[in-house]
Amino acid sequence: MAATKIIDAPRNGHEMAPLNTRARGDGTHGVTIVLTAPQRNSVQSVDIPGEPDRAAWSGKMQFFLSIIGYSVGLGNIWRFPYLCQQNGGGAFLIPFMIMLVLEGIPLFLIELGMGQRMRLGALGVWNTIHPWLGGIGISSCIVTLFVALYYNVIITWVFYYLFNSFRYPLPWSTCPTNGTGFELEECAKSSETTYFWYRTTLDAAPSMDEPGGLKWWIVLCLLLSWTIVFFIVMKGIQSSGKVVYFTSLFPYIVLTIFFIRGITLRGAGAGLMHMYTPKVEKLLEPTVWLDAATQVFYSFGLAFGSLIAFGSYNTPKNNCVRDVLLVSVCNAVTAIYASVVIFAILGFKATVNVDRCVASNTDILVKNALLPFKNASSEDYDSVMQKINGTEFEALHLSECSLSKELDNAAEGTGLAFIVFTQAIVELPGAPFWAVLFFTMLLSLGLGSQIGILEGMLCTLFDIDIIKRVKKQHVTGVVCLFCFIVGFIFCTGAGEYWLKMFDSFAGTIGLVVVALMEMIAVIFIYGHERFTEDIYQMTGYRPGVYWQMTWRYIGPVIMVCILVSSIVFMVIRNPTYGAWNAEKGIVEQKDYPNWVMGIALAMILAGVLPMPIVFLMRSFQCLKVDLDIHQGSIRRNETTASTKEMIDNDDDNLSPDMPPQDLLAATRFTIGDFEVSCSFTYPQNNLSSKTHALPTTC
């Protein structure tokens, strides 16, 4: 029988390989299927692809808490308050909210919506949209691996501080002394909390070229971190879904406790006024808007593949639009709420430091007979200080006691969590209790985000057919063991320097490129009309002008601006890292060694190159494209009763008494967003072998 003629239909890259892959002797291979999208006129007619036995959330609350735990992370605590303070105080909320609406929410819905529509991980989603886009999922997985490597190191440091928080007095409250009873010079030149961080915790090396050996206490804490993460994610959402009730809710309880305590402290009002007093003139600086866009992008955890994975575990009729709006509002409110708590307590710390400074100056003035007694009023003190000129000020070794200057010394990242805030905790009555609360909160925030990061990566791995055959516990164990071993570079004296390098290079450009390609893939290749229809079919809500404008124009432009500016700043500003100088007791900026910059460049390329490589290999047919890449999205909808055994590979069960006549087999498949029906003729003398079936109509 001659090959069936291909049905005329517009070709859009979704043509499938020949259905019957064995030659029939005439040089032909059966029929080529050209897929056409089914007509859908109502919400009820939606047909959702994906794995029918895919894991699912046990309830709406579990999904919502998992998303919150993933999106609300350490950046809300130690990055957003710093950005507010540096970029115009309360005025920074204006660009932040604008970028949230124009960039964060639209891309958030793309990832969550595509995951829910396809019911696949990142690799499966982009392969299903078009095989040439498979590199997006690979790039996302590689960048996620880099971030997971160093993110768990932060959890490691939190564990170390948490264990030391049970000591009284807190070990970072005083400087250690030498044999003669004097404070160690390194601690005396810096501060108690700074010394504990750089010397006791990290045993910091002078540079990345001299890393020193492994620090056994950090190695043990890293082992503990990866062990806990493994047991949480080893069974997917069946195990991690139970933990999120703690990791998502506990930080809000702690923040509320700190809020109640913070606003009652002396100086809290000054801290809040300093932070939220709007400096509108700052809005004219482009870097402020860039910082707002970057903060929104990273605070949502976009482009990691985690949101796609979380969405894929939803039911087909879940209202993902409502989820996106709720999580976005919760994320923004949490960042603002955390900022209030942080600066209320930092205001208290600044006030205490100013009081100490004034007391020290008063003692000097009394000794030099410039003040009559120590208990002089603040008016008398101010009057005397105003009469002292610059030369006398330096000769008397007086200090400038300024509340605004103290508040301007705010830090971000590890500096805020492990140096500045720990100093504030020391000043609180019952300091160990507050330290335990604070670091338990950081631990829960870190674990919540790490669970999401790993879930996105593992979900992508399980889109690969070979890995699907292995138990998830085994794959998770191998991944965690690999990350633990690679994590040894963070356990040396240069561990913090490596972490900052990973943070600056591994998870920046790669993620932005992935996010930009995701937008292009969904809106311009998959089609914004089609995606709009998908949202309508799933939720009953049809995205309007706001969504169309942000998806098609505004969002991509913002992502391009972030990408270009990131590359420009990386080139213009010579990349440096802060190295600890033990002799001076300060952090000095040093240039990255050339070999380290080579590693940084390799990480950037590893996160970006899979996209063009897969595109070129599949477009030139160097990489086989067959049904396997769509395997997760193929589902048989209907099979005729007389031939069900043949389709299900149960040919041995065929009845020997079956009449000797040709059989007509019919089956209907859903492949991605397309539907195909095929019929086959089985000659009477070849009933036992379906390889000789003759496809007649598709």
Side-chain angles (χ1 to χ4, degrees), residues 446-464:
L447 285 175
S449 296
Q450 183 73 349
I451 291 170
I453 291 172
L454 274 184
E455 187 60 44
M457 181 172 64
L458 292 171
C459 187
T460 301
L461 291 176
F462 276 95
D463 282 338
I464 302 173

Side-chain angles (χ1 to χ4, degrees), residues 361-411:
N361 285 349
T362 301
D363 288 340
I364 295 174
L365 295 175
V366 169
K367 289 179 181 179
N368 289 273
L370 296 175
L371 267 180
F373 46 84
K374 290 184 177 181
N375 295 328
S377 64
S378 58
E379 290 79 7
D380 294 337
Y381 171 83
D382 293 336
S383 176
V384 172
M385 291 295 292
Q386 290 174 2
K387 296 177 182 178
I388 298 177
N389 58 38
T391 305
E392 294 175 329
F393 191 90
E394 293 181 3
L396 294 172
H397 301 290
L398 295 171
S399 302
E400 182 181 355
C401 306
S402 170
L403 184 62
S404 61
K405 185 177 179 180
E406 284 286 339
L407 289 169
D408 283 336
N409 289 332

Side-chain angles (χ1 to χ4, degrees), residues 350-502:
T351 302
V352 171
N353 288 346
V354 168
D355 289 346
R356 287 177 178 169
C357 177
V358 170
S360 175
N361 285 349
T362 301
D363 288 340
I364 295 174
L365 295 175
V366 169
K367 289 179 181 179
N368 289 273
L370 296 175
L371 267 180
F373 46 84
K374 290 184 177 181
N375 295 328
S377 64
S378 58
E379 290 79 7
D380 294 337
Y381 171 83
D382 293 336
S383 176
V384 172
M385 291 295 292
Q386 290 174 2
K387 296 177 182 178
I388 298 177
N389 58 38
T391 305
E392 294 175 329
F393 191 90
E394 293 181 3
L396 294 172
H397 301 290
L398 295 171
S399 302
E400 182 181 355
C401 306
S402 170
L403 184 62
S404 61
K405 185 177 179 180
E406 284 286 339
L407 289 169
D408 283 336
N409 289 332
E412 63 170 325
T414 54
L416 173 64
F418 300 116
I419 298 177
V420 177
F421 206 83
T422 49
Q423 184 182 350
I425 289 176
V426 169
E427 307 297 339
L428 295 172
F433 168 76
W434 298 106
V436 169
L437 269 186
F438 177 69
F439 288 111
T440 306
M441 178 187 70
L442 292 186
L443 179 63
S444 59
L445 285 170
L447 285 175
S449 296
Q450 183 73 349
I451 291 170
I453 291 172
L454 274 184
E455 187 60 44
M457 181 172 64
L458 292 171
C459 187
T460 301
L461 291 176
F462 276 95
D463 282 338
I464 302 173
D465 188 55
I466 297 177
I467 298 180
K468 280 182 182 178
R469 304 169 189 172
V470 185
K471 287 185 177 180
K472 187 159 189 176
Q473 294 94 322
H474 297 164
V475 176
T476 306
V478 170
V479 170
C480 291
L481 179 61
F482 172 79
C483 292
F484 169 67
I485 294 174
V486 176
F488 283 172
I489 63 172
F490 303 106
C491 300
T492 65
E496 190 198 24
Y497 314 151
W498 278 107
L499 184 138
K500 289 183 177 179
M501 191 276 282
F502 268 69

Side-chain angles (χ1 to χ4, degrees), residues 177-344:
T177 56
N178 53 27
T180 59
F182 292 98
E183 293 181 347
L184 293 178
E185 185 179 2
E186 183 180 357
C187 184
K189 289 182 177 180
S190 54
S191 68
E192 298 87 348
T193 54
T194 305
Y195 177 86
F196 186 85
W197 169 242
Y198 282 107
R199 183 54 54 212
T200 306
T201 303
L202 302 178
D203 193 15
S207 69
M208 298 185 77
D209 288 319
E210 307 171 65
L214 293 175
K215 313 305 174 185
W216 62 267
W217 57 94
I218 300 296
V219 174
L220 291 179
C221 289
L222 182 65
L223 176 62
L224 174 64
S225 300
W226 278 114
T227 302
I228 291 176
V229 169
F230 165 73
F231 281 109
I232 291 175
V233 302
M234 67 176 183
K235 293 183 179 179
I237 61 173
Q238 282 80 9
S239 55
S240 64
K242 299 177 177 63
V243 179
V244 296
Y245 286 93
F246 171 77
T247 59
S248 300
L249 295 177
F250 184 74
Y252 290 97
I253 297 174
V254 176
L255 279 177
T256 303
I257 295 173
F258 269 106
F259 173 75
I260 296 172
R261 183 68 182 99
I263 59 175
T264 61
L265 294 172
R266 181 168 51 92
L272 295 178
M273 287 294 294
H274 177 80
M275 176 184 174
Y276 283 113
T277 299
K279 305 177 184 67
V280 183
E281 65 277 5
K282 279 278 190 178
L283 299 182
L284 299 177
E285 300 178 12
T287 54
V288 173
W289 293 84
L290 177 62
D291 283 342
T294 307
Q295 173 63 18
V296 167
F297 178 80
Y298 290 114
S299 66
F300 276 111
L302 301 170
F304 284 98
S306 303
L307 296 175
I308 294 176
F310 286 154
S312 70
Y313 301 136
N314 274 327
T315 59
K317 291 296 184 179
N318 176 65
N319 192 336
C320 53
V321 177
R322 179 187 58 198
D323 294 337
V324 166
L325 296 177
L326 286 176
V327 173
S328 301
V329 171
C330 187
N331 197 331
V333 170
T334 301
I336 297 171
Y337 185 37
S339 301
V340 171
V341 175
I342 294 296
F343 268 86

